[in-house]
């Protein structure tokens, strides 16, 4: 009775749900402390005190009607200004509040950008491997997602493949940086090369091709790695951000879009984002959360905790012979499956109570994703299980 | 550079924006206290104390990671249960938490339901006059909105027209109750008649036709009027709700979908809603707000305040000779324009610093909407202006 498209979407999503249920069942059988669940990208480092204080202060001191009421669909002017100033200070950009649209997280932001840009049949290029739901986001707005291959084993984008994949219908190059699921960061040089390709192709086809970034992991960068800020390299750029990871508040659905001031037709694009926010049913980003993030803009969760996890699990897995690009950001390892059929490897891991996600969910079979946004103690407890798992594949 | 569809949407929305800007300009010229802005459906009665207390208690007492973290895409189980129990107690229904999906307001809820139900070309019937954005909500999911005429001057639906408009492609009958912009409530008898028509047509065409309600104004009913709860009358029903008006918190974007347990394929539909919530980019309803509404489920803003406004403005305008159905719910009057061209009347009102919205925005030209969710004092101050406006049309 539901739509055919939704029946397909349900099939696609049932794998993740099945894993979740199996994990719960397993925990019931062997005890939660003996299940090593590395399947979910769910932050677990503390919510910064400043953010909590900002909520309390707003609720205690502001007029409740103003605090919980409608505002411009793009957000409170003071929140938009606070975001613009924060970006300008950190990246030397020149945003005003007008260039910022507050959104229901980065997933909401991407849908708002796609709604604004895509006509039916327009193509969105994604750099593989990528978060599987990007495909649905494009399809929501009748866009078509096309993949750009990575170079292996670095997982940097194959620029020749990118150039070859751009057609007359290409409207968007979607860039997730740092990358879920690999933890790779695309450096400045790569961004510059991609910008040059898009610039050439824009001129060739005579219409705009947009860079759209998805940056929920921006603040999770290790070893001093820099995550390039895209509007510095390319004018037709929308940066989307979520506070989910930097503040450990993914349930609150608060993020933003920053539109490059030098974008062609910027005023119309900003109007489009605002209208899209409304008609897609978001209307505006949650109001109290807009106040809270504005008042705790510089706050960060404990990024060093994730780094410590990263060192431990990356060190141990490579020592055990697993192959994996060393992550520079986010909180994932993308491990080459020692079995060509990654599903068998996921199943073998599960026998040792280790829960991983197959790379097929990221359009990259033959790999598995491990999310290390878990407690350090859980990683420590899991190491003997990884040793046993590795032993099964020794000599292969 | 933006999509053609969005260019159209911007055109459609620019009238409202223009009015907003003109209102601001006018306030700058003559002073805000001398502008009588009846154009926006923005609640202004107090946020209930219980709601504010619930936020503070949650932030002070709960683990911040749990409070702001991801949960099931359908929402926290305890919030879903609280909604189900509240509905069961008030309406004698038999929901469990499983039948409730928490959403980003009612606008989000409607988009989630449409995404779940609509295949390209499916038709959504709306009872005119209706909130103009319904057309965009249907179009977002490649559905087509068709209008059902009202009986005049009661603004109850023309049931013969409804029956005639149902085709093989009809998938949804959308029912807003109480109605924006008329303030009419569709009584039980009307709902039963519509249910009987849908039932017959379902059998005739051999596929489900769904009732989908939009009920942000449910708690704003006057003179003891009852708003029928749709799942009691028709199995294939989704009720969507927002706490925006009952708690005066429209900026927070918190609402829900209640799916009738007797719906055909209910389990699949619920899965669809959950997946739609995720892939449309909502992911889940804002988490702190889910906790806060669960802990203040019975709280209500000051509905009597709106009623007092209603009595004053309805009494005065009819006394002045304006024609208007007496509203039983919501906070709008839908006034027959004394000029056949309602735009001229809106312009004439503006000269007296009265801001109204033309009925064309609700697919019903020849009328204007007045939103009386304003201060009682503003209504009092505006009365001389209405007298002058009426005098211009005397004898016509």
């Amino acid at each position: 009775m539901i739509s055919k498209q939704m029946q397909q979407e349900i099939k696609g999503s049932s794998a993740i749900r099945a894993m979740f249920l199996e994990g719960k069942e397993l925990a019931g059988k062997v005890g939660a402390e003996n299940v090593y669940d590395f399947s979910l990208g769910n932050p677990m480092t503390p919510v910064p005190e400043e953010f909590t204080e900002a909520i309390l202060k707003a609720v205690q001191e502001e007029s409740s009607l103003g605090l919980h009421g409608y505002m411009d669909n793009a957000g409170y002017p003071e929140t938009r200004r606070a975001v613009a100033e924060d970006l300008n200070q950190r990246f030397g950009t020149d945003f005003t509040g007008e260039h910022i649209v507050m959104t229901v997280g980065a997933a909401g932001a991407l849908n708002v950008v796609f709604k604004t840009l895509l006509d039916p049949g327009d193509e969105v290029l994604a750099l593989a491997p990528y978060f599987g739901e990007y495909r649905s986001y494009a399809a929501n707005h009748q866009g078509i997602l096309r993949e750009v291959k990575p170079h292996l084993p670095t997982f940097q984008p194959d620029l020749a493949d990118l150039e070859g994949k751009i057609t007359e219908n290409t409207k968007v190059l979607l860039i997730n940086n740092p990358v879920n699921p690999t933890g790779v960061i695309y450096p400045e040089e790569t961004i510059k090369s991609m910008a040059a390709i898009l610039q050439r192709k824009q001129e060739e086809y005579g219409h705009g091709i947009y860079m759209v970034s998805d940056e929920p992991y921006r603040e999770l960068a290790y070893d001093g790695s820099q995550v390039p800020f895209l509007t510095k390299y390319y004018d037709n750029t929308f940066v989307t951000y979520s506070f989910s990871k930097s503040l450990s508040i993914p349930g609150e659905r608060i993020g933003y879009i920053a539109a490059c001031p030098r974008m062609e037709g910027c005023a119309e694009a900003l109007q489009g984002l605002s209208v899209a926010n409304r008609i897609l049913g978001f209307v505006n980003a949650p109001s109290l959360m807009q106040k809270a993030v504005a008042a705790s803009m510089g706050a960060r969760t404990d990024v060093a905790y994730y780094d410590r996890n990263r060192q431990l699990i990356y060190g141990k897995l490579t020592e055990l012979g697993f192959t994996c690009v060393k992550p520079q950001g986010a909180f994932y390892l993308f491990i080459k499956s020692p079995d060509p059929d990654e599903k068998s490897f996921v199943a073998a891991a599960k026998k040792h109570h280790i829960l991983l996600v197959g790379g097929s969910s990221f359009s990259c079979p033959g790999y598995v994703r491990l999310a290390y946004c878990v407690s350090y103690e859980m990683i420590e407890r899991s190491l003997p299980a990884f040793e046993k798992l590795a032993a099964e594949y020794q000599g292969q």
Side-chain angles (χ1 to χ4, degrees), chain A residues 277-321:
Chain A
N277 221 5
R278 194 169 73 236
I279 66 177
L280 290 175
F282 300 109
V283 183
N284 55 249
S287 52
L288 173 58
M289 288 302 139
Q290 288 194 46
K291 299 276 183 176
V293 297
S296 55
M297 195 55 70
R300 298 285 181 271
T301 188
D302 185 5
V303 178
Y305 192 102
Y306 293 129
D307 193 11
R308 205 165 146 242
N309 283 358
R310 178 183 72 118
Q311 311 280 8
L312 176 62
I313 189 74
Y314 175 78
K316 185 68 183 187
L317 292 192
T318 47
E319 183 192 308
L320 288 171

Side-chain angles (χ1 to χ4, degrees), chain A residues 45 192 272 316:
Chain A
T45 53
K192 280 183 175 166
K316 185 68 183 187

Side-chain angles (χ1 to χ4, degrees), chain A residues 5 9 111 114 118 122 124 133-145:
Chain A
Q5 192 192 347
E9 292 280 4
N111 274 280
F114 285 1
L118 299 182
D122 280 352
V124 174
E133 280 177 29
Y134 289 163
R135 192 170 285 277
S136 304
Y137 299 169
N140 286 341
H141 312 289
Q142 301 178 65
I144 297 160
L145 191 126

Side-chain angles (χ1 to χ4, degrees), chain A residues 6 84 91 121 147 161 169 174 185 191 196 216 238 248:
Chain A
M6 186 47 72
F91 305 114
E147 296 173 19
D161 192 56
N169 297 322
L174 180 54
I185 292 175
I191 300 297
F238 297 91
S248 280

